[in-house]
Amino acid sequence: MTSVAAEAGRTRPNALSRAWAFVLRHVLTVYSLLFFVYLMLPIAVVIAFSFNHPTGRFNYTWRGFTWDNWLHWNAVPGIQSAITLSLEIALFASIVATALGTLIALALVRYGFRGRGTTNLIIFLPLSTPEIVLGASLATLFLHSASYGLSIPFGFWTILIAHIMFCISFAVVTVKARLIGFDRHLEEAAMDLGANEWTTFIKVTLPLIAPAILAALLLCFAISVDDFVVTYFNAGNQVTFPIFVWGAARVATPPQINVIGTAIFGIAVTLMLINVFIQNRRSKQA
Amino acid sequence: MGFGFLHRHRGSTAYLLLAPGMLFLVVFFLVPLGFLAYQSLESGSIDFGYAFTWAWDNYSSAITGYGTQFKRSFAYAGIATAIALLVSYPVAYWIAFRGGRWKNLLLLCIVAPFFVTYLIRTLAWQTILSDDGLIVRTLTDMHILSPGGRLLATGTAVVAGITYNFLPFMALPLYVSLEQIDQTLIEAAEDLYASKWTAFFRVTFPLSLPGVVAGTLLTFIPAAGDFINAQLLGSTTNHMIGNVINSKYNELIDYPAAAAMSFILMAIILALVLIYARAVGSEKLTG
């Protein structure tokens, strides 16, 4: 009897601390799930209000369900051209920025050269400059360009230049991360087997860093489509989708804005889910 | 020219790879900063144009005229950053240590808000915090908010918006640094009779500091320059320096004042980052 009691006494703190750990673990889980509810709350509102049937100019209170906004997504004047412009800019900006960024990443990881520190600094700086400063300074360059006999009117090209500018650093960081963890033996093997450097690059290096290049493309595309501040300073009278939303927010918010927001969200999340799925399958195979 | 990227060696190839991208950044990022600096010392008016006159008083009048907005910007950004850190650390910890095979999916949930256009996200908060919205009604019923009290058009709403909009910038670096921690170190601490809390404060937290530093900077810098949250969720009494720069540049066409304020903003951010780096140790910044 006494030995059993003594044993129970000895195991007690252990059981207590285990119970405490159990509670702690579940507190953390519950808290984390609440956090995700908080994260998703505005998104749920955006999606729900894309089906709203507002009576006034503003889409703030729930008035009833309708499919109309989705069926007539381009019924609001200007919204379709704004989306087209945003997609065009994002497409060109992400391709150019990723190409330039990949080259810089290759140079940074593969070469020793003078000025590496300066290069890193110039790539890091745009990431740590407030957007409003990026926008104002670039606009100032374009404003002054006329007095140097090189008139660049605000419009498509100034927006495109601005987007390439703030996307390059993101592309460099994304591709660089992949290149650093890269198995150089694969390239050496290809060269041992008689491939020249160009063939090795095309047949070995490029396929291996392709996922990083794709990731950089998608990241740049997402940042470009979403950008408001820098674009606003450099757009002139051109209207991208975020600028359209900004203008609308002052006078009227048609539910079509939510339709487009939901559509962009849906496409992006689907792409990401496919990516997560592929990664999980790969890690299972490996 | 040899395509010698396969060997880490000196040569012109590196510069050829760097040239197009770096040239672009120099011409469209560094040179514009120079133009902005030049413009910040101009004087004149919209009607007669601006000319360079070493007008240093643009700086002094920006500080005397808009000191409140500067202070408010850094206060809002600081509070939002602190809240974001406290709110997202436990979640980053949970995903890193208990996420298991759901890790990628949970990370996707963290970045998901990014995929709803920034402005639309903020407009959604306008709906949520609106006067006849659920939150205001509940808080009024609980007597936390006095009858007729508002959330929209207050500093609280602006800080809440900033916190929400930049959360992924905080949560992701935290996750990355927590994920990299060698679990055996924590086990070792516990084997040496450290309690769970001691092990956390003496081992886990110090090892996650690079993530804390990266996260706070990535949140604080864009937050200090933001004007969208103050515009859509606040009133003019909540305007930040970003609102002033925006209206000076785009509405009042007072370029020199906007340029001077931009540089003061950047200088203060730089100073704060340096002080912060000194406080936590500069090796943590690059680590």
Side-chain angles (χ1 to χ4, degrees):
Chain A
M1 269 303 270
T2 46
S3 70
V4 172
E7 215 158 80
R10 230 182 292 143
T11 52
R12 210 183 201 157
N14 196 3
L16 252 178
S17 71
R18 232 186 285 160
W20 173 238
F22 183 84
V23 168
L24 203 68
R25 188 174 309 162
H26 285 264
V27 165
L28 199 57
T29 307
V30 171
Y31 171 80
S32 301
L33 295 177
L34 284 174
F35 176 87
F36 284 111
V37 171
Y38 159 72
L39 271 188
M40 295 304 158
L41 183 66
I43 301 176
V45 168
V46 171
I47 297 173
F49 278 77
S50 76
F51 295 104
N52 191 18
H53 189 83
T55 42
R57 287 181 300 139
F58 288 94
N59 185 20
Y60 291 148
T61 36
W62 184 258
R63 300 280 182 209
F65 184 90
T66 176
W67 290 104
D68 284 0
N69 313 321
W70 282 82
L71 294 173
H72 309 288
W73 64 273
N74 58 356
V76 185
I79 199 166
Q80 191 170 353
S81 61
I83 294 156
T84 313
L85 180 63
S86 271
L87 293 179
E88 278 172 7
I89 296 276
L91 183 69
F92 292 128
S94 56
I95 291 174
V96 175
T98 305
L100 298 177
T102 305
L103 295 180
I104 295 176
L106 276 169
L108 281 173
V109 178
R110 294 301 170 82
Y111 289 90
F113 58 90
R114 269 166 186 278
R116 166 183 297 273
T118 318
T119 309
N120 274 322
L121 184 70
I122 295 176
I123 286 157
F124 173 75
L125 268 178
L127 295 176
S128 56
T129 307
E131 271 202 285
I132 196 160
V133 180
L134 289 179
S137 59
L138 194 57
T140 309
L141 174 83
F142 294 138
L143 279 172
H144 279 75
S145 64
S147 54
Y148 292 87
L150 188 84
S151 177
I152 309 170
F154 285 103
F156 180 88
W157 291 101
T158 50
I159 304 176
L160 184 61
I161 287 171
H163 284 221
I164 295 172
M165 181 267 292
F166 64 68
C167 280
I168 288 179
S169 301
F170 286 101
V172 174
V173 172
T174 311
V175 178
K176 214 173 108 181
R178 172 88 184 185
L179 275 172
I180 289 171
F182 185 90
D183 188 359
R184 299 292 287 272
H185 296 303
L186 294 169
E187 291 173 338
E188 283 160 18
M191 308 225 336
D192 285 346
L193 292 169
N196 65 25
E197 291 188 330
W198 176 245
T199 316
T200 309
F201 178 73
I202 296 293
K203 297 247 166 161
V204 180
T205 317
L206 208 54
L208 279 171
I209 61 169
I213 294 178
L214 187 66
L217 268 176
L218 291 176
L219 180 68
C220 292
F221 193 94
I223 296 170
S224 166
V225 163
D226 196 32
D227 183 77
F228 170 69
V229 178
V230 180
T231 317
Y232 188 57
F233 276 83
N234 291 285
N237 58 8
Q238 294 289 304
V239 178
T240 61
F241 181 61
I243 293 181
F244 179 85
V245 177
W246 179 255
R250 297 177 169 198
V251 278
T253 48
Q256 276 80 356
I257 286 178
N258 294 46
V259 171
I260 305 300
T262 307
I264 295 175
F265 175 73
I267 293 167
V269 168
T270 310
L271 285 176
M272 298 276 291
L273 277 174
I274 292 171
N275 183 33
V276 167
F277 182 69
I278 292 172
Q279 272 182 5
N280 278 358
R281 273 187 59 173
R282 262 198 206 141
S283 61
K284 253 181 224 162
Q285 280 164 2
Chain B
M1 176 205 102
F3 205 74
F5 61 88
L6 297 175
H7 307 285
R8 213 172 218 271
H9 62 95
R10 286 173 188 279
S12 54
T13 326
Y15 295 112
L16 285 171
L17 291 172
L18 286 173
M22 294 313 286
L23 199 68
F24 198 97
L25 282 182
V26 168
V27 174
F28 295 115
F29 170 67
L30 282 186
V31 172
L33 282 180
F35 272 96
L36 196 68
Y38 181 82
Q39 190 155 57
S40 73
L41 297 171
E42 287 180 341
S43 62
S45 66
I46 330 169
D47 304 323
F48 299 104
Y50 297 104
F52 188 83
T53 54
W54 291 107
W56 289 104
D57 55 321
N58 288 334
Y59 284 85
S60 50
S61 55
I63 292 169
T64 49
Y66 297 97
T68 358
Q69 280 85 349
F70 272 112
K71 273 185 234 152
R72 193 178 291 134
S73 294
F74 291 105
Y76 282 2
I79 297 169
T81 307
I83 297 174
L85 176 63
L86 291 175
V87 164
S88 52
Y89 196 99
V91 180
Y93 182 94
W94 183 70
I95 299 176
F97 293 129
R98 313 231 209 278
R101 60 199 190 91
W102 299 103
K103 268 182 195 172
N104 284 334
L105 203 64
L106 292 169
L107 286 177
L108 172 62
C109 290
I110 290 214
V111 290
F114 261 145
F115 297 126
V116 175
T117 310
Y118 186 21
L119 289 169
I120 299 183
R121 248 185 282 160
T122 315
L123 286 175
W125 275 108
Q126 222 175 45
T127 310
I128 296 168
L129 299 174
S130 67
D131 295 340
D132 45 0
L134 193 65
I135 292 184
V136 169
R137 250 184 283 160
T138 315
L139 288 179
T140 317
D141 289 347
M142 290 168 72
H143 292 276
I144 293 172
L145 214 63
S146 55
R150 312 188 64 189
L151 280 178
L152 207 60
T154 63
T156 316
V158 180
V159 172
I162 295 174
T163 310
Y164 178 83
N165 277 321
F166 298 113
L167 260 183
F169 287 123
M170 179 64 87
L172 286 183
L174 285 178
Y175 165 79
V176 170
S177 66
L178 282 165
E179 199 340 75
Q180 286 170 345
I181 292 176
D182 185 354
Q183 295 263 8
T184 54
L185 290 173
I186 302 164
E187 284 164 23
E190 284 172 4
D191 285 347
L192 294 168
Y193 301 106
S195 71
K196 282 236 180 288
W197 285 107
T198 318
F200 175 77
F201 282 111
R202 301 289 291 271
V203 180
T204 315
F205 185 74
L207 286 172
S208 69
L209 265 183
V212 174
V213 174
T216 38
L217 290 181
L218 285 175
T219 310
F220 183 81
I221 295 172
D226 185 78
F227 66 90
I228 291 167
N229 289 285
Q231 190 85 39
L232 296 180
L233 302 175
S235 68
T236 45
T237 53
N238 310 114
H239 273 186
M240 299 164 68
I241 198 62
N243 300 79
V244 181
I245 297 176
N246 177 42
S247 85
K248 290 267 182 205
Y249 205 102
N250 291 316
E251 284 149 27
L252 305 172
I253 320 292
D254 188 354
Y255 297 131
M261 287 176 205
S262 299
F263 272 99
I264 298 171
L265 175 68
M266 271 181 62
I268 299 176
I269 288 178
L270 192 69
L272 289 175
V273 168
L274 287 177
I275 294 170
Y276 183 63
R278 260 202 118 125
V280 293
S282 57
E283 75 277 10
K284 302 256 167 40
L285 272 181
T286 46

